[in-house]
Amino acid sequence: MRALPVGLDALLIELDGAAETAALHAELLRMREAGQLPRVREIVPAALTVLLDGVDDPRALARQLAGRRVPALPDSAGEVITVPVHYDGEDLPAVAALWGVGEDEVARIHAAAQYRVAFSGFAPGFGYLTGLDQRFHVPRRAVPRTSVPAGSIALAGAYTGIYPRSSPGGWQLIGRTDAVLWDPAREPAALFAPGHRVRFVSMEHRVEHRMEHSVEHRAEHGSEHGAEHRVEHGVAHGVEPR
Amino acid sequence: MTLTVVRPGLLTTVQDLGRPGHAHLGVPRSGALDRRAHRLANLLVGNSARAATLETTVLGCAVRVRRPVVAAVTGAPCSVRVDGRPAAWGAPLRLGAGALLELGTAARGVRSYLAFAGGVAAEAVLGSRATDLLSGLGPAPLAAGDALPLGADPAGPPLAADVVPWVAPPEHLVLPLRLGPRDDWFAPAAVTTLAACDYRVSPASNRIGLRLTGPVLERAVERELPSEGMVLGAVQVPPDGRPVVFLADHPTTGGYPVIGVVPEDALSAAAQAPPGTPVRFVPVPGAGW
């Protein structure tokens, strides 16, 4: 853990890895909740850093945090957000080719991984999700698209992301969701916040699964994020299991 | 609705002190670029500094008010007219119902601020009425025919000011620069280059950043920087080597190294520097932890 000065009232804490960064972020939120942090306007985790902005005495805070033992973040920590997905993105064939598997297998592999929102940025509600095994990291597209539809699920480098609104983008599109990533009229506005865990559920596989185990499925996932509604939607539009 | 847009100008937006505290969700602070002028405009009409004003860009704007209200214009000096008659810049103006208030082209500087007693009461998003152009939050930039509500008159009276402080837009923009967090990613000559007065404000500047033209800042470390949190005033250096000073609508995380940070106090002047203004950075060492 290394603290770097950022202007007059901020500091950037640099860590050795994504897991350490997630752990420090969780610890800082816990400390703030417990009244153990001085006033801080923003706590912004990123790939290998946590920024603390709007701090009266960043040097004192750096000293307070130096050498602090930060407990590892248990896999079970963090709210779980379930995102229903149609794995039918335009870059699915390209990703399948990069992974050396079939398109169905891309969906299976992607939905099987456990994700965590490492940080946000790019647009309100856009989360950088870690969790996909390094073997499956893919480069950005050579030529970015001028417009990527809202709800597109995409891969780039170590990350999975979902475009909260239509925007230009160079990530590889593997699917789409009806989940609303950002709604200023909702509380909270962002579906994803750093520290949340994310599960992707293939709508195609889910429909099949629901037919066999509808009761367990409902109990396991609940309908908090409208997943049940979206399954019905999928059935109504005749989506077939692949 | 108590205000109608007659002429929106080049870019007129609703601004307040922004929405701090949401950077971890990818939401920048946003808010008035010249916060000093925004505060002064509010003061002149008896508002708190939190009330929303209109921020115009270069070409001013024209609005018609539907009820009697006190207004004031600050920031970049410009001609002010009420129903075609010249009126005072930097002073409370009593407008009658139906009055047409026109702000002309900025004589100096870039951004004028137009406050109304009670504030512009556009719908708030995450506690702020500011238009954030990067994130697409808050009211859309004004268009002709738009109607905007005004808030109830504030408790305080308009400020009876004998003297209104005004900081002239800079002939030369001098920006203090606290080095770090990534100044060590640059060749030592980069800091010398930054201090050598060779930069100018680029016409590509906007509410996201003050873009600069001038010599390339050479990197010492060529590898890619993993994304990290960005602050207001951060001087980020993209691959073309030309520094960008992040203003209110800046991204909250970014993947290019920040050579130093301009303190917030100096950003009001940056917001008033028109394209072509020479820029000199005055680097001071970081905290050196």
Side-chain angles (χ1 to χ4, degrees):
Chain A
M1 183 155 51
R2 188 166 77 108
L4 301 167
V6 180
L8 296 170
D9 65 350
L11 71 157
L12 189 70
I13 301 175
E14 194 172 39
L15 297 119
D16 293 331
E20 289 83 352
T21 305
L24 176 66
H25 177 240
E27 174 71 359
L28 288 168
L29 294 186
R30 189 199 63 73
M31 289 171 71
R32 182 162 69 174
E33 191 72 18
Q36 295 166 0
L37 271 189
R39 191 185 68 84
V40 46
R41 188 170 58 232
E42 313 270 9
I43 299 178
V44 188
L48 296 173
T49 55
V50 181
L51 172 74
L52 293 132
D53 189 15
V55 180
D56 290 333
D57 187 348
R59 188 187 292 256
L61 182 54
R63 274 198 301 269
Q64 183 190 346
L65 296 174
R68 188 179 182 90
R69 289 176 62 89
V70 176
L73 193 62
D75 285 344
S76 60
E79 185 184 335
V80 178
I81 311 287
T82 302
V83 176
V85 186
H86 296 281
Y87 283 101
D88 58 2
E90 281 182 49
D91 297 319
L92 201 59
V95 170
L98 285 164
W99 288 7
V101 300
E103 292 177 26
D104 283 3
E105 189 64 1
V106 171
R108 198 196 61 75
I109 292 168
H110 188 260
Q114 315 260 315
Y115 298 87
R116 190 179 288 282
V117 182
F119 61 100
S120 295
F122 167 63
F126 186 89
Y128 290 79
L129 277 51
T130 52
L132 200 57
D133 191 278
Q134 194 168 358
R135 288 173 292 163
F136 302 121
H137 296 178
V138 295
R140 286 169 177 74
R141 284 169 51 86
V143 181
R145 288 187 170 85
T146 52
S147 179
V148 173
S152 295
I153 293 165
L155 305 180
Y159 302 110
T160 290
I162 307 178
Y163 286 81
R165 58 167 195 218
S166 174
S167 54
W171 291 31
Q172 310 251 14
L173 311 184
I174 60 167
R176 64 196 156 87
T177 182
D178 295 335
V180 176
L181 276 293
W182 175 261
D183 177 2
R186 181 176 65 190
E187 178 56 44
L191 183 62
F192 291 166
H196 282 168
R197 288 180 289 157
V198 179
R199 302 272 156 73
F200 291 105
V201 178
S202 168
M203 290 292 285
E204 287 76 9
H205 291 116
R206 204 183 149 126
V207 170
E208 184 178 41
H209 185 64
R210 183 170 177 269
M211 287 170 181
E212 292 165 11
H213 307 288
S214 60
V215 176
E216 290 88 331
H217 208 134
R218 202 178 294 269
E220 185 189 342
H221 291 284
S223 57
E224 199 181 335
H225 300 286
E228 290 304 322
H229 167 75
R230 292 193 178 89
V231 169
E232 299 296 346
H233 184 81
V235 172
H237 286 76
V239 175
E240 297 295 327
R242 288 193 191 187
Chain B
M1 296 300 160
T2 41
L3 185 158
T4 312
V5 179
V6 176
R7 182 177 68 83
L10 182 63
L11 172 70
T12 302
T13 58
V14 178
Q15 295 298 340
D16 56 17
L17 297 179
R19 40 184 76 82
H22 300 91
H24 63 291
L25 301 177
V27 177
R29 188 187 323 181
S30 191
L33 284 199
D34 183 345
R35 289 160 79 90
R36 204 160 40 199
H38 164 85
R39 286 173 185 278
L40 177 60
N42 273 326
L43 199 62
L44 288 170
V45 299
N47 288 343
S48 88
R50 296 171 49 84
T53 62
L54 297 181
E55 179 185 278
T56 71
T57 314
V58 185
L59 298 186
C61 69
V63 298
R64 193 178 293 282
V65 294
R66 295 291 165 197
R67 65 161 167 83
V69 67
V70 175
V73 181
T74 65
C78 59
S79 72
V80 179
R81 286 175 179 271
V82 176
D83 291 330
R85 289 187 295 276
W89 176 97
L93 306 171
R94 292 178 192 281
L95 309 178
L100 176 68
L101 174 61
E102 297 173 272
L103 279 61
T105 299
R108 312 228 351 237
V110 175
R111 295 176 171 96
S112 303
Y113 290 82
L114 172 53
F116 297 93
V120 176
E123 197 179 339
V125 175
L126 301 180
S128 165
R129 299 183 160 100
T131 300
D132 178 342
L133 294 179
L134 180 72
S135 303
L137 300 182
L142 301 194
D146 282 358
L148 286 170
L150 295 179
D153 271 351
L159 180 72
D162 292 332
V163 177
V164 171
W166 173 62
V167 181
E171 299 279 350
H172 280 72
L173 182 60
V174 178
L175 297 176
L177 183 73
R178 180 64 72 106
L179 293 177
R182 300 295 178 190
D183 52 315
D184 58 347
W185 279 51
F186 294 86
V191 174
T192 320
T193 304
L194 260 185
C197 200
D198 287 321
Y199 289 89
R200 282 181 188 269
V201 176
S202 153
S205 300
N206 53 23
R207 287 188 41 87
I208 296 166
L210 193 72
R211 285 162 210 285
L212 303 177
T213 57
V216 166
L217 297 179
E218 276 186 47
R219 292 262 291 260
V221 178
E222 291 293 347
R223 68 174 186 274
E224 219 173 288
L225 179 76
S227 257
E228 58 191 28
M230 292 286 144
V231 299
L232 184 67
V235 179
Q236 196 193 54
V237 184
D240 72 4
R242 266 85 185 198
V244 179
V245 184
F246 276 156
L247 302 179
D249 292 359
H250 69 89
T252 65
T253 57
Y256 302 125
V258 168
I259 191 167
V261 178
V262 176
E264 201 175 318
D265 287 356
L267 295 177
S268 285
Q272 296 293 4
T277 303
V279 180
R280 169 179 243 160
F281 290 95
V282 182
V284 292
W289 296 331

